[in-house]
Amino acid sequence: QVQLVESGGGLVQAGGSLRLSCAASGSIFSINTMGWYRQAPGQQRELVATITGRGSTNYAYSVKGRFTISRDNAKNTVYLQMNSLKPEDTAVYYCAAEGPFISSWGQGTQVTVSS
């Protein structure tokens, strides 16, 4: 059992930056890969970025060069630094944790980018 709590969302103008945080608690020993997903109104949830326990990262094409995922294993926290934000980045962003025994989602945090 893993609980994930996201924070850092908000309203920002196009070209601005935000940093999202996701703190994990519970059966954290089961976590291998952590990631960020997003879902815009009326759209499917899509992968934004992932990071493994060894630090290997993967990004959606649409955010490459603008977003950076990182993790602090000592704090059981994953971050998403979002720069050069665009209106099309507007969505609810969800943190996810995966491992041998778990697949968990956070409650989501709203990111709104104004034009």
Side-chain angles (χ1 to χ4, degrees), residues 12-49:
V12 66
Q13 288 187 289
S17 298
L18 285 173
R19 190 179 77 155
L20 306 183
S21 298
C22 173
S25 61
S27 301
I28 55 176
F29 63 90
S30 298
I31 298 173
N32 179 208
T33 300
M34 297 191 72
W36 290 95
Y37 294 73
R38 66 187 182 187
Q39 187 168 25
Q43 302 297 123
Q44 293 284 113
R45 187 173 297 184
E46 64 175 347
L47 183 147
V48 176

Side-chain angles (χ1 to χ4, degrees), residues 54-77:
R54 288 292 194 96
S56 180
T57 59
N58 187 53
Y59 297 91
Y61 174 80
S62 61
V63 307
K64 286 182 179 178
R66 299 189 298 120
F67 292 8
T68 302
I69 188 171
S70 61
R71 68 191 294 173
D72 185 335
N73 291 328
K75 296 180 179 179
N76 301 310
T77 301

